[in-house]
């Protein structure tokens, strides 16, 4: 029996407790829907199919896939619509972050990127790269991280000894936190010696030392958009075209001009 007021959610370890699910929960609560979350250990097609089958047995009215890797090739679920979660425009957010740093007069911007196989990391890297190319700036090699503060710290250690590093765009705020710690240990003060911009605007970003300039994603708006799409599919209509949620640059002390 289908439970009209319950939606299934397929998540992975990286999304099961993340801000996308938090935003979806808030939007579902507003609309009077409950969520049944099925967390899968991996990203293979078999894991996704098993999760979808399990949620179908629970009688959910529709299914949302949080992880963009899984959402790229969702399996058909007879009688139940399955849609990817809406998200912020990752490319546009990266473009804004990079333009902000270039417009401060930096010759180029270094990038601490996420995992190379991740669609979100790739979109943010592309926004950074193509913005530098439009400015006619040199594109430095990407310093690769894994979204963790530890990997950002290691990236910061390598960048602190690299000549000419004065502006860095990190692909998320946690890596920016690690990078700031490494810069401080190396005697580099932000924003005096370098400007740093992150992505996501996690709740702690305003309390980093210094407070972090970052790209804010409206996860509740993304949740509402996701709900609009899945509920339209439940009702048998095409529903709204899946659009990106706008990304907003929030400027804080880590990229403000230093006072003379």
């Amino acid at each position: 029996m289908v439970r009209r007021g319950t939606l299934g959610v397929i998540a992975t370890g990286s999304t099961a407790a993340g801000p996308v699910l938090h935003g979806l929960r808030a939007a579902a609560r507003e609309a009077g829907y409950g969520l049944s979350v099925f967390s899968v250990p991996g990203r293979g097609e078999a894991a996704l199919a098993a999760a979808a089958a399990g949620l179908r047995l629970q009688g959910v009215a529709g299914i949302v896939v949080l992880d963009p890797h899984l959402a790229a090739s969702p399996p058909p679920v007879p009688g139940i619509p399955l849609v990817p979660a809406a998200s912020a425009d990752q490319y546009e957010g990266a473009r804004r972050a990079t333009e902000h740093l270039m417009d401060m007069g930096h010759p180029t911007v270094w990038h601490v990127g996420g995992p190379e196989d991740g669609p979100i990391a790739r979109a943010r890297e592309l926004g950074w790269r193509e913005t530098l190319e439009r400015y006619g700036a040199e594109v430095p090699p990407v310093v690769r991280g894994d979204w963790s503060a530890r990997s950002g710290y290691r990236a910061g250690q390598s960048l602190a000894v690299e000549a000419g590093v004065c502006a860095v765009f990190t692909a998320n705020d946690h890596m920016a936190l690690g990078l700031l710690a490494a810069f401080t240990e190396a005697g580099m003060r932000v924003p005096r010696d370098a400007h740093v911009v992150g992505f996501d605007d996690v709740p702690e970003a305003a309390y980093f030392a210094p407070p972090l300039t970052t790209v804010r994603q409206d996860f509740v708006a993304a949740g509402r958009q996701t709900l609009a799409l899945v509920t339209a599919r439940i009702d048998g209509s095409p529903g709204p075209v899946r659009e990106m949620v706008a990304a907003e640059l929030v400027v804080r002390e880590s990229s403000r001009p230093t006072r003379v």
Side-chain angles (χ1 to χ4, degrees), residues 127-153:
W128 159 78
R129 183 181 303 278
E130 292 191 348
T131 301
L132 290 184
E133 291 171 350
R134 283 195 296 272
Y135 275 77
E138 179 184 352
V139 180
V142 176
V143 183
R144 193 69 59 187
D146 63 8
W147 301 124
S148 70
R150 181 186 293 274
S151 70
Y153 176 78

Side-chain angles (χ1 to χ4, degrees), residues 7-218:
L7 299 175
V9 178
I10 299 176
T12 58
S14 62
T15 60
V20 178
L21 179 56
H22 177 76
L24 184 59
R25 282 191 192 279
R29 196 179 304 117
E30 289 177 357
Y33 275 91
L35 298 183
S36 179
V37 181
F38 198 117
S39 184
V40 297
R43 287 172 168 163
E45 290 183 12
L48 179 57
L55 289 167
R56 186 170 186 267
L57 288 175
Q58 293 181 29
V60 299
I63 298 174
V64 176
V65 183
L66 294 190
D67 193 295
H69 287 87
L70 295 175
S73 56
V77 184
I80 299 178
L82 188 151
V83 303
S87 67
D89 189 332
Q90 311 297 328
Y91 179 97
E92 177 67 11
R95 181 192 67 79
R96 287 172 181 262
T98 308
E99 281 188 351
H100 168 69
L101 290 168
M102 289 298 296
D103 288 345
M104 297 182 76
H106 294 293
T108 192
V109 177
W110 291 73
H111 182 50
V112 179
E116 197 167 9
D117 64 342
I120 289 177
R122 288 199 302 267
R124 295 177 185 181
E125 181 180 332
L126 185 63
W128 159 78
R129 183 181 303 278
E130 292 191 348
T131 301
L132 290 184
E133 291 171 350
R134 283 195 296 272
Y135 275 77
E138 179 184 352
V139 180
V142 176
V143 183
R144 193 69 59 187
D146 63 8
W147 301 124
S148 70
R150 181 186 293 274
S151 70
Y153 176 78
R154 290 172 177 164
Q157 287 180 310
S158 66
L159 289 174
V161 297
E162 189 80 35
V165 174
C166 56
V168 184
F169 164 50
T170 65
N172 79 338
D173 291 346
H174 290 106
M175 292 193 296
L177 174 62
L179 178 126
L180 289 171
F183 277 8
T184 299
E185 284 187 6
M188 290 179 65
R189 287 179 55 190
V190 175
R192 184 195 67 186
D193 302 316
H195 291 136
V196 177
V197 177
F199 204 115
D200 289 335
D201 196 25
V202 298
E204 301 84 2
Y207 304 98
F208 285 6
L212 182 67
T213 294
T214 184
V215 178
R216 176 180 294 161
Q217 303 190 74
D218 190 337

Side-chain angles (χ1 to χ4, degrees), residues 3 81 196 226:
R3 293 184 288 163
V196 177
T226 302

